Amino acid sequence: GVLVEIPGDLCRDAGIVVSVAVTRAVWDEYLAPDYLSELPDQDVTGRIWDLLWMFSCVARNSRHTSTVFFKTEFITCTGEDHPGYSRNLAPFKAICGPGDEGEPVITIMLPEED
């Protein structure tokens, strides 16, 4: 699938020293959804930060594993039938594996993705 690379400076600020990418589904559904401009006090950078911070908190306590599961709270639109927004605790899976050059890369995805 298509991956979106997360800016290195945001990763480093969250205490992550390797490259991070997210799947297109994570990007489109949670980090940069079409309705983002309709949400109060939300932007892509802030939503990336929330995802990275929650990942880094879980990863620090998960030794000797290449896969971790974690959740992050996001504000989402409730839908056309009931305009507004709500807070949702979204589940994610992160896998550390080799990148194109064999370097370690963390990929954050939805739990059902591979």
Side-chain angles (χ1 to χ4, degrees), residues 13-93:
D13 288 348
I16 303 166
V17 297
V18 301
S19 296
V20 176
V22 298
T23 61
R24 176 57 66 183
V26 170
W27 184 264
D28 290 345
E29 292 179 37
Y30 294 102
L31 301 181
D34 292 339
Y35 56 80
L36 186 60
S37 63
E38 300 171 31
L39 300 176
D41 303 319
Q42 296 289 301
D43 63 22
V44 172
T45 301
R47 291 167 80 91
I48 291 171
W49 171 257
D50 292 344
L51 182 75
L52 292 176
W53 180 252
M54 294 309 295
F55 163 74
S56 68
C57 290
V58 170
R60 278 192 287 273
N61 294 315
S62 300
R63 303 276 187 222
H64 310 294
T65 183
S66 61
T67 303
V68 296
F69 293 87
F70 67 101
K71 294 182 180 182
T72 303
E73 186 175 71
F74 285 103
I75 295 175
T76 58
C77 280
T78 54
E80 293 180 19
D81 295 338
H82 298 81
Y85 59 90
S86 64
R87 295 179 180 274
N88 293 304
L89 197 56
F92 298 97
K93 173 172 66 175

